[in-house]
Amino acid sequence: MTATTNSSLKTKHSELVLDCGGRVLDLSRTVIMGVLNITPDSFSDGGFFMSRDTAVAHARKMVEEGADIIDVGGESTRPGAQAVSVQEELDRVIPVIDAMARAIPVPISIDTSKPEVMRAAVAAGAGFINDVRALREEGALQAAAAQQVPVCLMHMQGEPRSMQHHPVYADVVVEVRDFLQRRIEACVAAGIPRQRLIVDPGFGFGKAVEHNLELLQRLGELRALGTPILAGLSRKSMIGALLGLPVEQRLQASVALALIAVQNGATMLRVHDVRATREAIRMFEAVYPRTGEVA
Ligand code: 7PM
């Protein structure tokens, strides 16, 4: 199957594929998005500035382990994190995307909220925009529309600096669904076709543990939006809260949560541990073959 000028198309086998700037994402099976953080303060990857070679080697390894797309982020969205300037974010991610685009065959996702970074990243070879602010920043809707690549819209209550202080919802699932519905409508009005959108409830982003658990339990209610669902649960603090484990010991629980997400309707999983997640998903799909429906 080859990419066409359409952003999505149904084949005669009823598979759905997304055109990520000429690289294809097959949504007829569970898609694994491998996380590559270029931040100096990322809690999962540690260390200070990663070299370009280190970043590319990590991306290569994740592709060998079964990643379908690599998500590159230069702004830490960790609870309590400080904002990063446009230039700082460009300096972190653009050289890495440029090198990765030549080194790996799969689509590259840019995790950003800034329109300048969206434009530069796609020019450097990214083919997917992952925005934890769901294109709410000034100019982001227009920038994303002009790039003609798929966009993941994530729900977040508040801002990273303060979002975990005291999250409050009447019904977290209804509020997340309604927010995502409004963002889908804003995107369509800005000229981004619905077929190019993915939604994400934003586990851990302005949510207490019980909110995260309810969102996962009732994830299927987001299917009403008619778009594929992405879930990011890997190594998140809800596991630390429930099991009392540090971030480097959250692999097994992360895989368990990923499987529940797929069972409840997720098509894409954003994960750090690609090999373990891929093996678990292969077992799941051996038991429950996907029908080709993605939303
Ligand atoms: C520190 C704490 C560093 C938390 C990084 C994080 C998601 C995302 C992130 C998600 C989408 C992490 C988060 N999480 N994008 N970016 N969905 N679409 O755990 O759940 O990686 S950053």
Side-chain angles (χ1 to χ4, degrees):
M1 193 182 302
T2 54
T4 74
T5 50
N6 294 325
S7 64
S8 74
L9 66 159
K10 289 237 181 203
T11 68
K12 60 178 183 287
H13 303 296
S14 200
E15 296 148 323
L16 193 94
V17 297
L18 276 178
D19 176 4
C20 300
R23 300 187 189 196
V24 168
L25 212 49
D26 178 2
L27 296 181
S28 68
R29 57 181 201 111
T30 304
V31 168
I32 294 187
M33 172 184 267
V35 179
L36 188 77
N37 278 319
I38 316 297
T39 51
D41 58 348
S42 155
F43 86 125
S44 292
D45 299 289
F48 246 72
F49 279 110
M50 214 186 257
S51 78
R52 194 186 314 200
D53 289 354
T54 308
V56 170
H58 186 204
R60 271 214 177 90
K61 177 165 179 277
M62 289 194 287
V63 172
E64 282 165 17
E65 292 177 349
D68 303 295
I69 178 168
I70 303 296
D71 188 42
V72 179
E75 184 211 16
S76 181
T77 37
R78 171 172 53 86
Q82 296 297 315
V84 167
S85 75
V86 172
Q87 195 55 52
E88 178 87 30
E89 205 178 318
L90 288 169
D91 291 345
R92 288 182 190 179
V93 299
I94 301 305
V96 171
I97 290 171
D98 180 67
M100 268 174 56
R102 284 175 276 117
I104 61 170
V106 303
I108 297 165
S109 160
I110 174 66
D111 183 345
T112 192
S113 299
K114 296 185 177 71
E116 301 89 342
V117 178
M118 293 173 189
R119 281 189 286 267
V122 173
F128 189 103
I129 293 169
N130 173 27
D131 184 4
V132 300
R133 293 183 186 78
L135 305 180
R136 285 177 291 161
E137 292 285 291
E138 176 88 46
L141 272 172
Q142 295 73 13
Q147 304 314 308
Q148 307 201 1
V149 298
V151 179
C152 178
L153 305 169
M154 199 195 79
H155 175 273
M156 168 164 59
Q157 184 181 87
E159 271 293 308
R161 205 171 48 76
S162 57
M163 66 188 174
Q164 291 306 101
H165 289 177
H166 183 56
V168 176
Y169 297 88
D171 182 327
V172 66
V173 181
V174 169
E175 285 173 47
V176 166
R177 188 197 62 201
D178 288 354
F179 168 85
L180 293 170
Q181 179 65 48
R182 289 194 299 274
R183 295 314 298 157
I184 290 170
E185 284 161 13
C187 287
V188 170
I192 306 174
R194 196 175 284 273
Q195 294 75 12
R196 216 178 274 155
L197 299 173
I198 292 96
V199 296
D200 182 339
F203 291 103
F205 286 85
K207 282 121 190 154
V209 173
E210 50 274 26
H211 299 136
N212 291 315
L213 294 175
E214 183 153 19
L215 274 169
L216 184 54
Q217 186 184 32
R218 296 169 55 196
L219 192 67
E221 293 178 37
L222 300 186
R223 285 169 163 148
L225 295 167
T227 59
I229 299 166
L230 186 154
L233 292 151
S234 181
R235 301 183 184 176
K236 284 203 170 159
S237 65
M238 63 185 288
I239 300 169
L242 290 165
L243 302 185
L245 292 172
V247 69
E248 67 276 8
Q249 290 174 32
R250 297 178 187 169
L251 167 64
Q252 292 85 346
S254 295
V255 172
L257 295 175
L259 280 184
I260 297 167
V262 171
Q263 185 137 38
N264 290 351
T267 302
M268 294 183 69
L269 297 169
R270 184 179 177 279
V271 307
H272 300 87
D273 302 288
V274 172
R275 186 186 300 279
T277 312
R278 175 54 76 202
E279 287 179 1
I281 292 303
R282 283 175 65 185
M283 297 312 298
F284 182 91
E285 291 185 345
V287 179
Y288 301 107
R290 295 202 85 123
T291 58
E293 287 161 41
V294 294

